[in-house]
Amino acid sequence: MGLSEQIQEIIDDARRAVDAVASTAALEQERVRLLGKKGALTGLLRSMGQLPAEERPAAGQMINQARETITQLLEGAESALAEKELAQRLVDEKLDVTEPRQLMRVGVPHPTTMVLNEVLDCFIGMGFEVVEGPQVELDHYNFELLNIPKNHPARDAQDTFYIDDNIVLRTHTSPVQARTMLSRKPPIRIICPGRVFRADEVDATHSPVFHQIEGLVIDRDVTMGDLRGTLAAFGKRLYGDDTRLRFRPSFFPFTEPSAEVDLTCFNCHGEGCRVCKGTGWIEVLGCGMVNPKVLDMCGIPSDEYTGFAFGIGLERITMLRYGIPDMRLLFEGDERFARQFR
Ligand code: PHE
């Protein structure tokens, strides 16, 4: 068989083989078989040495042309196969994003958390800074510095959990204010949210664990008018623009004068209804001008500075805000309850 017939046979074989190949991996095997070191074409190239010198250039040219032809066959097949394989992968790996599936359950913020965030927002907007402190507190900060000495009757009102003679579960967040006064110089404008504890029986309006948000402002020339304006802004933010407030005289050892603050009933807007027991007003917080004795004990000269303080019961204003009739609902952690207030 002459050289050109041999070459033609190799090309025919290559064409059949490439046509039959079904994957790029199999095609790669064919490339090695046809053009590799052990391939028929390479064999021919090697045997050229046996040809007479004058026939070699023509033979070399034919073999190279054949190599070129086979390379083109392989390349043509390769791009067609790659396209087919991609199309197949797109079919195989298709995801139906509309297919129904088990939905992940996502929780919701607790109503108490939502009201807390709103109150903090309101006071931060007025320039207050949020400060926190320990829940297990020294008697000194919880009582003494707030003008509630040992054996003072005001201690009874707080139903304190004692850890020992000097350590208590804080009964209010006022100790955070005492700590802040001791560690900073005026002007002071802070809001102190946190968990507090009192030895109360659980009922619809009491819990041994609840939350307060207390505020404190100390500067030169702070007046009761400033207190009133600050609380009015808070009342409107929480219960609507037509909310009015009234001060009733009261007593706290750490403020003088002291007041209880009522807001117009969010339900009847002052007409009188079941929620406000017909009075049109709802008691919301305690407040007053910081007692000069407290300022002095906490290292702030009372002849130079004045201040006001207020304390809000977070559960109470949450119940009022959403019309929740029983405080226990806030502590049960029932997700179906929390979902109602989004
Ligand atoms: N600390 C008081 C309380 O628990 C609340 C309060 C704070 C009253 C500040 C007046 C001023 O009960």
Side-chain angles (χ1 to χ4, degrees), residues 158 171-174 177 198 212 214-215 252 254-255 258-259 285-288 309-312:
Q158 304 246 346
T171 59
H172 47 186
T173 55
S174 307
Q177 310 188 346
R198 292 188 195 180
Q212 282 190 335
E214 296 203 345
F252 299 103
F254 30 84
T255 47
S258 303
L285 57 89
C287 65
F310 55 88
I312 303 166

Side-chain angles (χ1 to χ4, degrees), residues 136-150:
V136 179
E137 185 56 284
L138 291 171
D139 182 287
H140 184 63
Y141 294 107
N142 194 80
F143 290 126
E144 298 280 331
L145 288 176
L146 297 167
N147 196 33
I148 315 176
K150 291 230 155 60

Side-chain angles (χ1 to χ4, degrees), residues 238-250:
L238 213 62
Y239 297 109
D241 271 340
D242 63 347
T243 304
R244 285 170 291 126
L245 72 170
R246 81 178 175 188
F247 279 46
R248 279 181 293 107
S250 185

Side-chain angles (χ1 to χ4, degrees), residues 280-331:
W281 296 96
I282 290 179
E283 185 190 321
V284 173
L285 57 89
C287 65
M289 300 305 291
V290 181
N291 192 323
K293 273 194 191 167
V294 171
L295 290 177
D296 288 325
M297 278 190 286
C298 292
I300 292 174
S302 61
D303 51 357
E304 233 181 291
Y305 294 101
T306 52
F308 65 74
F310 55 88
I312 303 166
L314 179 56
E315 279 75 13
R316 179 163 171 75
I317 60 170
T318 302
M319 290 165 74
L320 291 172
R321 168 65 183 270
Y322 292 118
I324 297 165
D326 192 320
M327 193 185 284
R328 284 167 286 202
L329 291 165
L330 293 174
F331 292 102

Side-chain angles (χ1 to χ4, degrees), residues 88-103:
Q88 189 58 44
R89 261 183 67 193
L90 288 174
V91 171
D92 290 348
E93 295 175 13
K94 187 176 166 208
L95 278 182
D96 180 359
V97 292
T98 66
E99 196 175 306
R101 64 181 178 100
Q102 190 84 43
L103 282 180

Side-chain angles (χ1 to χ4, degrees), residues 65-327:
Q65 254 170 22
R67 202 179 171 82
E68 185 64 23
T69 305
I70 293 172
T71 302
Q72 273 170 18
L73 278 174
L74 287 164
E75 276 170 7
E78 165 145 45
S79 59
L81 281 171
E83 224 168 273
K84 230 175 73 188
E85 283 174 10
L86 176 63
Q88 189 58 44
R89 261 183 67 193
L90 288 174
V91 171
D92 290 348
E93 295 175 13
K94 187 176 166 208
L95 278 182
D96 180 359
V97 292
T98 66
E99 196 175 306
R101 64 181 178 100
Q102 190 84 43
L103 282 180
M104 198 157 55
R105 287 185 68 74
V106 178
V108 293
H110 195 275
T112 312
T113 306
M114 290 195 288
V115 170
L116 171 64
N117 287 339
E118 205 168 328
V119 172
L120 293 183
D121 251 18
C122 167
F123 284 106
I124 288 167
M126 288 192 273
F128 284 70
E129 179 192 341
V130 177
V131 179
E132 293 178 304
Q135 295 175 12
V136 179
E137 185 56 284
L138 291 171
D139 182 287
H140 184 63
Y141 294 107
N142 194 80
F143 290 126
E144 298 280 331
L145 288 176
L146 297 167
N147 196 33
I148 315 176
K150 291 230 155 60
N151 305 317
H152 190 285
R155 290 208 182 201
D156 294 347
Q158 304 246 346
D159 285 322
T160 312
F161 286 114
Y162 280 91
I163 302 230
D164 64 25
D165 279 353
N166 292 312
I167 301 176
V168 301
L169 297 186
R170 68 180 179 192
T171 59
H172 47 186
T173 55
S174 307
V176 182
Q177 310 188 346
R179 287 171 174 276
T180 306
M181 285 188 271
L182 282 167
S183 64
R184 295 193 198 179
K185 287 191 166 30
I188 291 172
R189 218 183 284 136
I190 59 168
I191 189 95
C192 310
R195 187 166 295 167
V196 300
F197 309 85
R198 292 188 195 180
D200 278 330
E201 292 293 331
V202 174
D203 66 21
T205 53
H206 292 85
S207 161
V209 182
F210 60 105
H211 298 81
Q212 282 190 335
I213 309 169
E214 296 203 345
L216 173 72
V217 172
I218 297 174
D219 203 348
R220 292 174 209 281
D221 306 320
V222 173
T223 69
M224 201 122 180
D226 297 319
L227 171 60
R228 198 183 160 93
T230 303
L231 294 178
F234 156 76
K236 287 182 201 301
R237 167 73 182 262
L238 213 62
Y239 297 109
D241 271 340
D242 63 347
T243 304
R244 285 170 291 126
L245 72 170
R246 81 178 175 188
F247 279 46
R248 279 181 293 107
S250 185
F251 173 80
F252 299 103
F254 30 84
T255 47
E256 182 59 35
S258 303
E260 302 274 356
V261 173
D262 300 338
L263 298 179
T264 39
C265 175
F266 64 92
N267 191 46
C268 64
H269 303 272
E271 304 268 304
C273 70
R274 196 178 46 80
V275 176
C276 57
K277 302 194 181 78
T279 63
W281 296 96
I282 290 179
E283 185 190 321
V284 173
L285 57 89
C287 65
M289 300 305 291
V290 181
N291 192 323
K293 273 194 191 167
V294 171
L295 290 177
D296 288 325
M297 278 190 286
C298 292
I300 292 174
S302 61
D303 51 357
E304 233 181 291
Y305 294 101
T306 52
F308 65 74
F310 55 88
I312 303 166
L314 179 56
E315 279 75 13
R316 179 163 171 75
I317 60 170
T318 302
M319 290 165 74
L320 291 172
R321 168 65 183 270
Y322 292 118
I324 297 165
D326 192 320
M327 193 185 284

